[in-house]
Every structure is written in structure tokens, then in C-alpha cells.
């Protein structure tokens, strides 16, 4: 197992000097393949007893320790260095013994410990300071502090916890979480009320666990049977964030039965304000475009395979989105569903209430009752949005239907106007802007830009929109900073690939069922003449 050389010296003091070497064929190597005995070999120990005070010095490649223990007073102090991480401890065995450790990089520490004992390293990094106190030889308390903890979910995704503090104690089979706080994605999660988790009679009991001092989690899990039930309840749960202030009633039950997990319940939104800046949103992208670097490895999670969900989400009072340009009120009535081995579906509607409004260039668009219907994939709802603009002489209606990735946009007015005249009224308060050919071309471009802006500000992404006098339409989406794919809805449907070489020069390749073409477009804006010209 091991070769041990020892020298024992006895005079006024007792001293034991040992040197332990683990040979290549040591039986211990077969006992634990994870333990790297070469990092511990040779292991040198110097044990000295002077007037009932024990001094222990241990040294090897991977571990170094110095300990001083007074056998009469039970006082203890020393340090332990493992893989470069230093743990300092001191105190009295009959009272309290404190162990302190502080590291600037968890990943560096884990890698160093891994050289001694091989284990699957968690994808964690960040700084951490830990204090552990042993009280009366049986009770343990722990305080953890960290400025930043990083959990790397995959190659491109980091979950970061800022300003983390945990204070807990363990005594007589009861884990007491005294208090905690952390910040995740600018949302503070905390509890000042104590939470209790008990381990007794082969079961784990939560009674209770607090989240933000409002959400009360209780439950029981039988370890041997692998069965349990967890309840989460809050009469009023407040979510306060830079994006949203929300008050909700939460009543959710989770049942655990072996590998199966079933979540059922209701979340009722009592009211709140949305602060999210729509200008900085992300949008649904074309499902035909795949970014290989962001694709995750195939394979399912056993937990997700065995998870079933049925949660109702509704609103008691409307949600309010209010900015200098928008005053939008919305209500929701939806279900979140998932069957075992199935995807997550969102079913139901989000309703934009009648009277909500949006202002574009000092022109107010008032919403009629509008619906966003969810039929499964939350990224692909069905739109039915109607907004009205009243000019001096006309009532103009903008209706958006269909899929957010390819919406149908219908413009109409009372009295009746052409599409270009409607855009002219919106831009210039007059239908006369669509009179000349150059004006028609200008309206084709500027009208598209205006419509893009309006639609973008209600959450529909269009990178290119061009409206023709003959009812034709071009809708495009950028796939990079310089490349845009444009779908043309004309007498003959087709597609255009556009490359923006500079602000004024573009290269285009167009194709349809009848022909294909390539060309260079030079565009220059003559501000003094108030028109746009293109040279092809």
C-alpha cells in the first residue's frame, strides 16, 4: 500500500518524522482511480509534542498544512493549502472553530484540486469568500460572499450572479437558511425571513423556503420512494426590475414521482408597468436561417423528457406600457402546456385594449381592440392588430395580420385613397405628395421607411419595406450587417439578395421564375430638391 519511513525522537519533547511514498503498484491506486497519489507522494509529516501542545506539519506536492493544538485548553489554529488554495482555521474545539477561505477564481481553484482528485468540474467561475464555523463539535454555520459568480450553460451562454450572500446553519438535521441575496439579470432575489429544510425519517421537508419574502415554498420529499410534493404560494408577489414592475398572485403545485415531474397551477397578474424599451428589442428571425455556431448538440434532457406542465397565466388588471410615444394597455389569458417528451406550447391570447395609442412624428395612432394569438410556438403568434389615424380630412386604418416574420399589412382610408396617397397623408398631411413619378418613387421608399418605424415600435421587425403604386410589396430581413434578403410580392414573385458595399453603393442579385439579373445601384440624396434618385 505504502512505504513509510519514520524517526521517533524522545527527549524533553516527543517528535515523529515520517516520509510516505506510494509505489506505482500500490493497492490504494486500485481502490480509488480518481485520487492522484503521485500528487501526495512523497508525503512528509513532522509531529511534535511540547508540554501538551501538539504541532503537526504536513507537506507534499499537492497538500501543505501547519496545525497547532493545545490538548489541555482545546485551542486550535493552523492552515491547510490544497491545490494552491489556502484555508485558515482557528478557535476552540469545545466552543467554536472557524475556517476561512478566499479565492479570486473558482475555476483556477477547481483545476488545481483536480490535479489531486479527478472529478467532473462544474462550469463555475468567479470570486468567493467562505467562512465555516463548527460550534460545540456538532453544529455548523456557513457564510458565503461573492461579487460575481459565473455559470457557463453552454459555449455562448453565461449565467452571472452578482452581489451574492448566503448565510446558513445546520444543527440536529435541520438546515436553516438565515438570509440570502443575489442579483441575476439585474433582478434581485433575496430573503430576510429564515427558511427551514429538515432531514429526518428518510425524507426532506421544506417548511418554508422564502423567495423575496413573499413567495412561500413548502413541501416534502421521500428519498427512498423518490416521491414528493412542493407548493409555491404568494398572495401578492412583486417583481421589480428595470424592464417591468409586476404584481402577481401565484399558486403552483409540483408533484415528483421518480423521474416524472408535473407542474400545475395559476399565475394571475394583478397589474404592473412595463418599462422595456421597444427600440432595443430582439425579433423573431427567419426559421430557414440557421447559425451553426449557436446550434446546440442534439440530445434531450431526462428532466425535460419527463416534465409535464399546465400553468394558467391571466391578468386581473391590465399591464401598462407608457413612454413619450406610447400608452398601451394589455391583458393576457394564456396557458403554458407541456406533455412528457413534448415541446412547450403557449396557447391563448394577449389583448391590446381599445384606446391604447402610439405617436409617430406627432401623429397619434389609436388602437382598436387588437389580438396577439398564441397557438403553440411562442415565437410565432398570429397577429390581428388594428390602429386608426385621423387626419383633418381622412380616417386611415392600418391593419397587421399574419406571422411576425412575414406580416400582412393592409392600408385603407375613409374617404378612399390609394396606398401612396395614404402614406402621403401620414407623412405630409396631404395626398398631393403622390402626384409625380419622382414623388411616387420617393413615397415608395420613404413610405416603406415610415411603415417600418411604426411596425418596429409595436414589436414587428422589418428591415426593408417598399410599397409600389401597383400594389406590389417588397419585405426584407438582414442576415448580416451588409446582406439583406428581400422577398418580392409582385405579379411574378421573386427574391433579391442585396449587398451594401457602402452608404451609396449596393450590389443586387434578383431572381424569379422567369428571369435572373445582377446589377450595381448608386443612390444619392439631393436634399435641396427634396427627392431621391437612383442610377442603375
Amino acid at each position: 500500500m505504502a512505504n513509510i519511513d519514520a524517526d521517533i525522537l524522545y527527549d524533553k519533547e516527543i517528535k515523529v518524522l515520517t516520509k510516505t511514498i506510494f509505489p506505482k503498484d500500490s493497492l490504494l491506486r486500485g481502490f480509488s482511480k480518481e485520487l492522484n497519489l503521485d500528487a501526495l507522494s512523497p508525503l512528509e509529516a513532522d509531529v511534535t509534542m511540547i508540554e501538551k501542545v501538539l504541532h503537526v506539519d504536513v507537506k507534499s506536492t499537492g497538500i501543505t498544512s501547519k496545525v497547532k493544538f493545545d490538548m489541555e485548553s482545546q485551542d486550535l489554529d493552523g492552515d491547510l493549502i490544497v491545490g494552491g488554495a489556502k484555508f485558515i482555521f482557528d478557535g476552540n474545539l469545545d466552543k467554536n472553530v472557524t475556517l476561512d477561505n478566499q479565492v479570486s477564481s473558482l475555476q483556477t481553484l477547481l483545476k488545481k484540486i483536480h490535479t489531486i482528485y479527478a472529478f467532473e468540474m462544474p462550469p463555475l467561475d468567479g470570486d468567493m469568500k467562505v467562512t465555516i464555523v463548527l460550534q460545540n463539535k456538532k453544529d455548523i454555520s456557513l457564510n458565503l460572499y461573492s461579487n460575481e459568480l459565473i455559470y457557463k450553460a453552454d459555449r455562448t451562454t453565461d449565467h452571472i450572479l452578482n452581489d451574492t450572500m448566503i448565510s446558513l446553519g445546520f444543527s440536529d438535521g435541520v438546515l436553516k437558511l438565515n438570509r440570502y441575496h443575489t442579483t441575476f439579470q439585474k433582478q434581485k432575489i433575496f430573503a430576510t425571513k429564515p427558511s427551514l429544510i429538515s432531514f429526518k425519517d428518510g425524507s426532506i421537508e421544506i417548511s418554508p423556503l422564502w423567495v423575496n419574502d413573499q413567495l412561500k415554498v413548502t413541501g416534502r420529499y421521500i428519498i427512498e420512494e423518490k416521491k414528493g410534493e412542493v407548493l409555491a404560494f404568494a398572495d401578492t408577489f412583486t417583481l421589480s426590475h428595470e424592464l417591468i414592475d409586476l404584481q402577481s398572485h401565484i399558486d403552483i403545485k409540483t408533484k415528483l414521482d421518480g423521474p416524472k415531474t408535473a407542474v400545475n397551477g395559476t399565475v394571475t397578474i394583478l397589474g404592473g408597468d412595463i418599462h422595456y424599451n421597444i427600440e432595443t428589442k430582439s425579433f423573431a428571425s427567419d426559421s430557414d436561417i440557421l447559425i451553426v455556431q449557436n446550434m446546440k448538440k442534439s440530445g434531450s434532457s431526462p428532466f425535460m423528457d419527463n416534465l409535464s406542465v399546465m400553468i394558467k397565466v391571466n391578468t386581473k388588471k391590465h399591464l401598462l406600457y407608457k413612454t413619450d410615444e406610447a400608452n398601451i394597455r394589455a391583458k393576457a389569458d394564456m396557458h403554458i402546456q407541456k406533455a412528457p417528451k413534448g415541446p412547450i406550447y403557449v396557447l391563448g391570447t394577449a389583448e391590446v385594449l381599445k384606446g391604447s395609442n402610439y405617436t409617430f412624428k406627432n401623429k397619434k395612432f389609436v388602437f382598436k381592440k387588437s389580438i396577439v394569438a398564441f397557438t403553440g410556438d411562442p415565437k410565432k403568434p398570429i397577429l390581428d392588430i388594428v390602429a386608426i389615424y385621423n387626419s383633418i380630412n381622412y380616417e386611415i386604418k392600418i391593419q397587421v395580420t399574419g406571422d411576425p416574420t412575414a406580416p400582412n399589412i393592409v392600408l385603407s382610408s375613409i374617404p378612399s385613397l390609394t396606398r401612396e396617397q395614404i402614406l402621403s397623408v401620414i407623412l405630409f398631411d396631404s395626398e398631393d405628395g403622390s402626384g409625380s413619378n419622382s414623388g411616387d418613387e420617393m413615397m415608395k421608399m420613404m413610405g416603406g421607411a415610415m411603415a417600418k418605424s411604426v411596425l418596429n415600435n409595436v414589436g414587428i421587425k422589418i428591415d426593408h419595406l417598399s410599397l409600389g403604386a401597383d400594389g406590389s410589396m417588397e419585405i426584407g430581413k438582414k442576415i448580416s450587417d451588409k446582406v439583406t434578403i428581400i422577398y418580392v410580392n409582385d405579379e411574378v414573385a421573386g427574391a433579391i439578395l442585396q449587398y451594401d458595399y457602402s452608404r451609396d453603393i449596393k450590389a443586387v442579385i434578383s431572381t424569379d421564375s422567369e428571369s435572373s439579373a445582377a446589377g450595381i445601384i448608386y443612390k444619392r440624396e439631393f436634399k435641396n430638391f427634396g427627392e431621391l434618385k437612383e442610377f442603375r
Side-chain angles (χ1 to χ4, degrees):
M1 294 179 65
N3 297 326
I4 302 175
D5 291 332
D7 291 328
I8 301 175
L9 308 175
Y10 176 75
D11 193 1
K12 296 180 180 180
E13 61 185 29
I14 299 175
K15 177 174 284 193
V16 180
L17 303 174
T18 66
K19 183 176 182 179
T20 304
I21 297 175
F22 302 97
K24 294 297 182 182
D25 57 351
S26 171
L27 296 176
L28 293 176
R29 296 183 186 274
F31 175 75
S32 176
K33 295 181 179 179
E34 293 81 9
L35 182 63
N36 181 14
L37 292 177
D38 292 332
L40 303 177
S41 182
L43 180 65
E44 298 180 1
D46 183 346
V47 181
T48 305
M49 173 76 75
I50 304 174
E51 297 180 355
K52 297 185 178 181
V53 177
L54 184 66
H55 297 265
V56 179
D57 291 350
V58 177
K59 184 173 64 174
S60 71
T61 304
I63 294 178
T64 303
S65 179
K66 290 186 176 183
V67 180
K68 177 184 176 182
F69 177 59
D70 191 322
M71 301 180 68
E72 194 170 74
S73 66
Q74 298 290 293
D75 289 337
L76 174 72
D77 66 80
D79 60 48
L80 172 66
I81 301 175
V82 181
K86 188 173 184 178
F87 298 84
I88 300 174
F89 49 88
D90 64 80
N92 186 284
L93 282 184
D94 291 333
K95 299 176 183 178
N96 297 332
V97 176
T98 301
L99 184 147
D100 290 307
N101 174 249
Q102 183 171 349
V103 294
S104 58
S105 172
L106 275 173
Q107 194 62 218
T108 301
L109 171 62
L110 292 172
K111 287 179 179 178
K112 289 180 177 178
I113 296 177
H114 192 269
T115 62
I116 301 172
Y117 188 85
F119 59 95
E120 185 177 351
M121 291 195 299
L124 285 175
D125 203 356
D127 65 283
M128 186 173 64
K129 180 180 179 181
V130 178
T131 299
I132 301 174
V133 179
L134 175 66
Q135 300 170 318
N136 303 321
K137 298 181 181 179
K138 62 175 184 175
D139 301 334
I140 297 175
S141 64
L142 179 145
N143 291 315
L144 181 148
Y145 304 88
S146 175
N147 293 315
E148 183 180 77
L149 288 174
I150 303 170
Y151 174 76
K152 198 168 187 63
D154 54 44
R155 192 181 66 86
T156 60
T157 306
D158 289 342
H159 297 308
I160 300 176
L161 299 177
N162 298 110
D163 186 26
T164 300
M165 186 279 295
I166 299 174
S167 174
L168 57 83
F170 185 79
S171 176
D172 297 328
V174 177
L175 179 66
K176 183 178 181 182
L177 183 56
N178 300 307
R179 62 189 184 278
Y180 69 88
H181 65 71
T182 190
T183 302
F184 176 65
Q185 294 183 348
K186 299 183 180 181
Q187 170 62 45
K188 192 167 185 178
I189 305 169
F190 68 92
T192 60
K193 296 180 180 181
S195 302
L196 297 176
I197 302 175
S198 304
F199 304 86
K200 59 181 179 181
D201 300 328
S203 66
I204 302 172
E205 293 187 7
I206 305 172
S207 59
L209 173 66
W210 290 100
V211 179
N212 289 20
D213 286 350
Q214 292 178 321
L215 183 64
K216 184 179 181 181
V217 180
T218 58
R220 184 169 182 260
Y221 181 76
I222 303 173
I223 298 174
E224 186 174 345
E225 297 180 8
K226 296 183 179 180
K227 292 184 177 181
E229 186 174 274
V230 178
L231 305 176
F233 178 84
D235 192 43
T236 302
F237 182 77
T238 302
L239 179 66
S240 184
H241 191 270
E242 67 174 5
L243 300 181
I244 190 169
D245 283 319
L246 196 68
Q247 296 81 43
S248 302
H249 174 84
I250 298 175
D251 189 359
I252 296 177
K253 179 188 292 185
T254 301
K255 285 190 174 181
L256 307 169
D257 186 1
K260 299 178 182 179
T261 303
V263 181
N264 295 274
T266 303
V267 177
T268 301
I269 299 172
L270 304 176
D273 297 328
I274 300 172
H275 312 302
Y276 179 53
N277 181 9
I278 292 181
E279 296 292 343
T280 61
K281 63 207 156 301
S282 60
F283 304 97
S285 60
D286 194 322
S287 58
D288 294 332
I289 299 173
L290 300 178
I291 301 175
V292 176
Q293 290 86 346
N294 294 338
M295 293 178 65
K296 295 182 178 179
K297 294 181 179 180
S298 60
S300 56
S301 160
F303 173 78
M304 292 301 294
D305 282 346
N306 293 286
L307 174 67
S308 61
V309 177
M310 176 64 77
I311 297 179
K312 181 179 181 181
V313 179
N314 56 19
T315 51
K316 187 174 183 179
K317 295 181 180 179
H318 63 258
L319 288 169
L320 177 64
Y321 175 69
K322 191 170 184 179
T323 66
D324 293 339
E325 295 81 20
N327 187 349
I328 299 174
R329 294 171 296 126
K331 296 180 71 175
D333 187 5
M334 297 182 290
H335 285 83
I336 301 173
Q337 298 181 7
K338 183 188 179 301
K341 295 186 178 180
I344 295 177
Y345 289 116
V346 177
L347 306 171
T349 59
E351 177 185 339
V352 178
L353 300 184
K354 181 180 179 180
S356 299
N357 60 80
Y358 176 78
T359 301
F360 171 75
K361 293 188 176 180
N362 298 320
K363 295 177 175 63
K364 181 181 286 188
F365 294 81
V366 180
F367 287 88
K368 287 191 172 183
K369 179 180 177 181
S370 299
I371 297 293
V372 179
F374 295 89
T375 59
D377 187 344
K379 296 180 180 180
K380 296 181 179 180
I382 303 301
L383 306 176
D384 187 4
I385 300 173
V386 179
I388 302 295
Y389 166 61
N390 286 295
S391 69
I392 297 175
N393 300 315
Y394 301 96
E395 179 183 284
I396 294 174
K397 180 167 73 171
I398 301 176
Q399 186 171 8
V400 182
T401 60
D403 190 303
T405 59
N408 301 311
I409 305 162
V410 178
L411 305 176
S412 60
S413 68
I414 302 174
S416 179
L417 296 172
T418 67
R419 182 176 302 185
E420 285 68 33
Q421 288 173 329
I422 290 173
L423 292 172
S424 179
V425 170
I426 293 174
L427 286 172
F428 307 116
D429 296 317
S430 170
E431 69 275 17
D432 297 334
S434 60
S436 65
N437 289 333
S438 60
D440 182 71
E441 286 296 315
M442 178 183 67
M443 288 307 302
K444 181 180 177 182
M445 297 178 186
M446 294 185 64
M450 183 281 302
K452 282 197 302 179
S453 177
V454 173
L455 294 170
N456 281 349
N457 280 285
V458 293
I460 302 168
K461 174 63 174 175
I462 298 175
D463 295 314
H464 171 91
L465 176 62
S466 179
L467 307 171
D470 56 356
S472 64
M473 180 183 294
E474 296 179 1
I475 297 177
K477 181 176 284 292
K478 282 184 175 293
I479 62 173
S480 72
D481 291 340
K482 292 183 175 292
V483 180
T484 304
I485 293 181
I486 302 169
Y487 301 93
V488 181
N489 181 20
D490 205 342
E491 292 182 3
V492 179
I496 297 173
L497 180 66
Q498 176 179 294
Y499 179 80
D500 299 332
Y501 180 77
S502 67
R503 179 180 176 182
D504 299 321
I505 301 175
K506 304 177 187 296
V508 295
I509 300 174
S510 61
T511 183
D512 55 43
S513 60
E514 296 181 355
S515 63
S516 299
I520 302 294
I521 297 175
Y522 173 75
K523 182 174 66 175
R524 180 75 180 271
E525 181 177 353
F526 299 93
K527 295 183 179 179
N528 294 336
F529 297 96
E531 62 183 38
L532 291 170
K533 292 186 181 292
E534 286 190 9
F535 303 93
R536 297 177 182 263

